[in-house]
Amino acid sequence: MPIDELDGRLIELFTTEPRVGVLEASRRLGVARGTVQARLDRMARDGVIAGHGPEIDPAALGYGVTAFVTLQLRQAGGHDPVAARLAQVPEVIEAHTITGPGDMLCRIVARSNTDLQRVIDVIVDVAGVERASSVISLATQIPYRTLPLLRAVASASREGTGGGKGTAGKTSGPPSR
């Protein structure tokens, strides 16, 4: 779904100030309120904007340990049943089917290293999981972010270069969501 520069500015504004409101956004961007609302509705409908909820910091909830766990799955049964069972484990905050030596990569959180062992034991006990290998995150160097990608796509749209091609190595401001 192509976005233009105004879409990009709109998403960036709502990402950096999620409580800004449609009327204030229209004032800051210099466009009609209806334009802002219509674009937000279109981007939500098309899946460009995936949510409007608050970001939750697991560490602030007492889950200060983050780990990435690579799972090897039993070949019979597939990934979907395992993913459905992993979704029942609250500490599994993300799971991806992957290529390479493992079958699934999970990002998990725990209260401590001892609690991490408990969470890994729960994961390994999930039917279909044969083995788990984990690494503990010591620090987040680049947090999950989409604004640099958004800027590249919007810039490519403005320049007519098509979908962010040729943007490798370019910077577009400070890293941010």
Side-chain angles (χ1 to χ4, degrees):
M1 173 306 49
I3 65 166
D4 62 18
E5 185 179 6
L6 179 57
D7 292 333
R9 290 175 36 221
L10 183 60
I11 293 170
E12 186 164 355
L13 176 60
F14 276 97
T15 300
T16 57
E17 297 181 55
R19 301 172 110 189
V20 72
V22 173
L23 186 59
E24 179 63 14
S26 69
R27 187 188 68 72
R28 289 190 194 182
L29 298 174
V31 297
R33 181 197 175 286
T35 299
V36 169
Q37 190 64 60
R39 284 175 177 252
L40 287 172
D41 291 345
R42 174 183 48 84
M43 289 187 288
R45 181 191 69 236
D46 292 347
V48 173
I49 297 174
H52 298 279
E55 292 180 40
I56 307 299
D57 180 2
L61 297 175
Y63 291 84
V65 176
T66 298
F68 296 89
V69 179
T70 303
L71 303 177
Q72 291 178 353
L73 306 182
R74 190 172 39 241
Q75 295 305 305
H79 296 86
D80 292 343
V82 172
R85 289 186 281 275
L86 289 173
Q88 302 304 310
V89 180
E91 295 87 355
V92 176
I93 59 174
E94 199 170 1
H96 301 267
T97 301
I98 59 171
T99 62
D103 298 307
M104 191 171 284
L105 180 66
C106 301
R107 181 165 47 138
I108 65 174
V109 294
R111 295 183 181 279
S112 64
N113 286 348
T114 302
D115 190 45
L116 177 62
Q117 180 64 60
R118 177 194 61 79
V119 174
I120 291 171
D121 288 346
V122 168
I123 290 170
V124 172
D125 201 36
V126 167
V129 174
E130 288 191 344
R131 186 177 189 299
S133 173
S134 62
V135 293
I136 297 174
S137 172
L138 299 176
T140 301
Q141 299 297 327
I142 300 173
Y144 177 83
R145 63 196 184 130
T146 55
L147 282 181
L149 180 63
L150 172 74
R151 291 178 188 129
V153 170
S155 175
S157 171
R158 180 181 65 243
E159 296 168 4
T161 58
K165 293 179 185 169
T167 59
K170 290 185 182 179
T171 58
S172 55
S176 59
R177 284 197 66 126

